């Protein structure tokens, strides 16, 4: 074995060039190791002496890096976030449902309260102050009758008007277009029952609350029943011994009340085409009749000076006194209050619990005649918007007057005058309260005491626009 090999084997450095090369390698390794140590030491030193100012001087991080860090979430964190979001959505939905339930409960409570007040006859919605007086140019005039209009009714859906006149005809009008939808012509005298129609003055009409039946009464003592949609004659009721002057259906039923100049009140069942009973009590010709939902009706007794409430099941009556003249018209405001008009020029508000008027407006349409011989304008028609404080009256004073009923129906305050020339023989409010219909004639519906030549026999549709009431002071 050579000396070099033996030396390598023993781990001893070899002599000569080989030993020098090995020593150089070891020195380089040591230098590189020292450099690494210095580098590590420098880094450690930098970490120890780092300050805020140095950290601020570092370059800002890019938004993309921040978004990447925000997006980096574990599966558990994602589940937790989605669960919180779902719970928040459920909470919002429950809050919305609770608000909707509270709103519905308020509405239901309001409706129930109105129903209770309506049944008790104490409901009085305040709408009169919102009514704006219409201009004469806004009034629509429908002409088709040859003689004075005597009565009219409006269908429950406010789509059509039925008018009748002294020319013995009945016309069905479209409210929207003002056109004639149907005309029931005059029947020839002596042909009653053979051809549909009236052969004498039609004095009164009524329509059922479901709009199915129309009833009309005339001076020939007849009551004719019509199908309101087609104007087809269905039945003829006979039994009155004088002119039929008033008709009314009980709301929600097909029970019909009628009254006559024979001083009686009769009850009929239209759906069964049958007569029910007759009630007596008035001392003179009965001029008008009205009814609502209760099984009772009210009548204006004409010259006997009384208003009577007829309780049909008990076959009893309540008698009210207050007017000094002939009571020619009456209308129910609600189940407990009514308004009437007389030829002494007075308008009265009544409550069923008192035998005297709650309010009496004398000379409601003013006076006429020469000085010293003045007479009040007769009240020929009255109407009331159901369950509100709005009342309308008609005469031949060249205007229709709108009134507001005071609190508790103890006062009548004039709102405005609507110019209309002629006898206002009939007035009806629409169910919505958006318009008032007046039947105008040259003569009074019950006679020919005067004739106003400049008047036009027509049906007038008067729009009732509402203006929101001004807010209360300090609100």
């Amino acid at each position: 074995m050579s000396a070099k090999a033996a030396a390598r084997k023993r781990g001893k450095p070899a002599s000569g060039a080989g030993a020098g090369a090995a020593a150089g390698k070891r020195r380089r390794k040591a230098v590189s190791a020292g450099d690494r140590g210095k580098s590590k030491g420098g880094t450690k030193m930098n970490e120890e002496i780092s300050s805020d100012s140095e950290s601020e001087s570092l370059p800002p991080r890019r938004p993309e890096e921040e978004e990447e860090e925000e997006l980096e979430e574990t599966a558990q964190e994602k589940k937790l976030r989605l669960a919180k979001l779902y719970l928040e959505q459920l909470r919002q939905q429950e809050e919305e449902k609770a608000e909707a339930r509270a709103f519905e409960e308020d509405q239901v409570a309001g409706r129930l309260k109105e129903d209770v007040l309506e049944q008790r006859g104490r409901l009085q919605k305040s709408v009169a102050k919102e009514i704006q007086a219409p201009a004469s140019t806004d009034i629509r005039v429908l002409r088709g009758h040859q003689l004075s209009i005597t009565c009219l009714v409006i269908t429950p859906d406010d789509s059509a008007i039925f008018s009748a006149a002294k020319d013995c005809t009945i016309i069905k009008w479209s409210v929207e277009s003002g056109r004639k939808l149907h005309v029931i012509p005059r029947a020839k005298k002596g042909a009653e029952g053979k051809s549909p129609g009236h052969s004498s003055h039609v004095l009164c009409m009524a329509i059922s609350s479901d709009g199915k039946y129309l009833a009309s009464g005339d001076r020939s003592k007849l009551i004719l029943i019509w199908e309101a949609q087609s104007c087809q004659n269905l039945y003829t009721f006979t039994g009155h011994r004088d002119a039929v002057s008033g008709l009314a259906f009980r709301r929600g039923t097909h029970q019909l009340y009628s009254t006559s100049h024979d001083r009686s009140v009769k009850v009929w069942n239209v759906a069964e085409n049958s007569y029910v009973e007759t009630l007596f009590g008035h001392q003179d010709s009965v001029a008008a009749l009205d009814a609502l939902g209760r099984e009772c009706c009210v009548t204006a007794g004409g010259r006997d000076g009384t208003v009577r409430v007829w309780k049909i099941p008990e076959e009893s009556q309540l008698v009210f006194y207050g007017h000094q003249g002939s009571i020619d018209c009456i209308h129910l405001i609600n189940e407990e209050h009514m308004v009437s008009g007389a030829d002494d020029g007075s308008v009265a508000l009544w409550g069923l619990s008192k035998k005297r008027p709650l309010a009496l407006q004398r000379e409601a349409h003013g006076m006429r005649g020469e000085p010293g011989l003045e007479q009040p304008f007769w009240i020929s028609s009255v109407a009331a918007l159901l369950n509100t404080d709005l009342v309308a009256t008609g005469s031949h004073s060249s205007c229709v007057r709108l009134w507001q009923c005071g609190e508790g129906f103890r006062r009548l305050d004039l709102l405005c005058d609507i110019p209309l020339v002629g006898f206002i023989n009939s007035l009806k409010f629409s169910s919505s309260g958006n318009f008032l219909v007046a039947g105008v004639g040259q003569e009074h519906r019950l006679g020919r005491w005067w004739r106003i030549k400049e008047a036009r026999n027509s049906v007038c549709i008067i729009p009732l626009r509402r203006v929101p009431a001004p807010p209360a002071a300090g609100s």
Side-chain angles (χ1 to χ4, degrees):
M1 181 180 297
S2 62
K4 292 181 180 179
R8 284 197 299 270
K9 189 173 182 180
R10 289 191 300 267
K12 293 182 179 179
S15 62
K25 287 181 179 179
R26 285 195 296 271
R27 284 194 297 270
R28 285 195 296 270
K29 289 180 180 178
V31 170
S32 62
D35 292 340
R36 285 196 298 272
K38 290 179 181 179
S39 176
K40 289 181 179 178
T43 303
K44 186 175 180 181
M45 189 179 295
N46 289 341
E47 289 177 356
E48 290 173 355
I49 64 173
S50 63
S51 64
D52 294 340
S53 60
E54 289 177 350
S55 63
E56 290 176 358
S57 64
L58 294 174
R61 302 173 68 182
R62 292 180 297 174
E64 293 81 357
E65 296 177 355
E66 295 179 357
E67 291 178 2
E68 288 176 0
E69 288 187 3
E70 290 177 1
L71 292 175
E72 290 176 359
E73 60 179 352
T74 64
Q76 292 296 330
E77 290 173 343
K78 185 176 181 180
K79 289 181 180 179
L80 181 60
R81 179 174 57 83
L82 293 176
K84 289 181 178 179
L85 182 62
Y86 178 64
L87 290 174
E88 179 65 20
Q89 290 176 350
L90 288 179
R91 186 183 64 80
Q92 291 179 356
Q93 291 177 1
E94 289 300 320
E95 288 180 355
E96 292 175 357
K97 289 180 180 178
E99 290 178 0
R101 282 196 297 268
F103 180 70
E104 289 178 359
E105 288 173 0
D106 289 343
Q107 284 189 323
V108 170
R111 286 197 296 268
L112 289 175
K113 184 177 180 181
E114 285 189 359
D115 290 343
V116 171
L117 290 174
E118 184 176 355
Q119 291 174 1
R120 293 180 178 177
R122 297 177 182 175
L123 183 59
Q124 185 182 8
K125 298 177 184 177
S126 181
V127 301
K129 286 186 177 180
E130 301 176 0
I131 300 298
Q132 184 180 21
S136 57
T137 54
D138 295 333
I139 300 174
R140 298 162 56 197
V141 179
L142 312 181
R143 300 196 63 186
H145 290 284
Q146 301 300 316
L147 298 178
S148 298
I149 311 295
T150 55
C151 55
L152 54 85
V153 292
I154 307 173
T155 56
D157 59 2
D158 294 343
S159 64
I161 300 168
F162 289 92
S163 63
K166 289 185 176 182
D167 59 11
C168 311
T169 62
I170 298 174
I171 300 178
K172 183 180 181 180
W173 307 86
S174 168
V175 172
E176 184 178 0
S177 64
R179 296 180 178 178
K180 297 178 185 178
L181 299 177
H182 200 280
V183 177
I184 301 175
R186 175 177 183 167
K188 295 181 180 179
K189 288 189 176 181
E192 292 88 349
K194 298 179 181 178
S195 61
H198 293 276
S199 60
S200 60
H201 297 176
V202 183
L203 297 180
C204 53
M205 286 195 299
I207 191 167
S208 60
S209 56
D210 60 359
K212 185 176 182 180
Y213 296 111
L214 174 73
S216 56
D218 62 17
R219 284 192 176 274
S220 299
K221 317 170 192 176
L222 299 178
I223 300 172
L224 272 59
I225 307 298
W226 312 83
E227 185 181 20
Q229 182 65 30
S230 63
C231 295
Q232 178 184 357
N233 182 235
L234 300 176
Y235 320 120
T236 299
F237 291 159
T238 59
H240 282 293
R241 293 176 294 172
D242 206 337
V244 180
S245 55
L247 290 168
F249 279 95
R250 181 185 172 196
R251 288 172 63 89
T253 72
H254 294 146
Q255 191 175 56
L256 177 68
Y257 305 118
S258 67
T259 192
S260 166
H261 291 174
D262 64 7
R263 310 177 187 180
S264 70
V265 174
K266 291 185 182 292
V267 185
W268 314 82
N269 189 322
V270 174
E272 298 179 2
N273 187 19
S274 61
Y275 159 79
V276 180
E277 62 179 319
T278 302
L279 303 172
F280 295 95
H282 278 290
Q283 305 301 310
D284 204 293
S285 300
V286 187
L289 176 145
D290 196 21
L292 283 178
R294 293 180 181 175
E295 200 168 355
C296 66
C297 62
V298 298
T299 53
R303 287 188 295 271
D304 75 359
T306 65
V307 169
R308 299 186 184 228
V309 178
W310 302 83
K311 298 182 178 181
I312 307 301
E314 296 89 347
E315 296 185 2
S316 62
Q317 55 189 287
L318 302 175
V319 185
F320 301 81
Y321 298 91
H323 292 284
Q324 296 180 354
S326 174
I327 307 173
D328 294 334
C329 46
I330 194 166
H331 200 284
L332 282 164
I333 303 173
N334 55 33
E335 295 286 4
E336 290 286 338
H337 298 90
M338 52 192 170
V339 58
S340 62
D343 65 3
D344 63 357
S346 62
V347 175
L349 293 177
W350 307 82
L352 297 190
S353 59
K354 292 195 174 183
K355 297 298 182 78
R356 292 287 176 179
L358 299 176
L360 184 64
Q361 183 69 40
R362 301 187 184 277
E363 302 173 8
H365 278 254
M367 305 287 285
R368 62 177 180 83
E370 299 177 0
L373 300 174
E374 296 93 343
Q375 293 288 328
F377 283 102
W378 294 6
I379 306 301
S380 54
S381 58
V382 294
L385 184 56
L386 184 62
N387 294 322
T388 70
D389 59 348
L390 184 61
V391 168
T393 59
S395 181
H396 60 286
S397 60
S398 301
C399 69
V400 171
R401 288 193 161 175
L402 297 183
W403 306 81
Q404 180 184 12
C405 300
E407 185 67 28
F409 300 94
R410 295 185 177 277
R411 191 178 69 256
L412 266 177
D413 299 322
L414 180 63
L415 289 176
C416 62
D417 289 352
I418 302 170
L420 276 182
V421 178
F423 281 90
I424 313 301
N425 288 324
S426 184
L427 286 170
K428 288 289 186 295
F429 283 100
S430 64
S431 300
S432 62
N434 292 331
F435 60 91
L436 171 69
V437 183
V440 184
Q442 294 181 335
E443 301 171 349
H444 193 282
R445 76 182 186 99
L446 296 177
R448 302 186 66 183
W449 296 281
W450 298 277
R451 182 178 176 85
I452 303 174
K453 294 183 179 180
E454 57 270 24
R456 293 185 293 176
N457 301 316
S458 58
V459 174
C460 298
I461 302 177
I462 305 166
L464 299 177
R465 295 183 175 87
R466 298 189 186 184
V467 178
S475 62

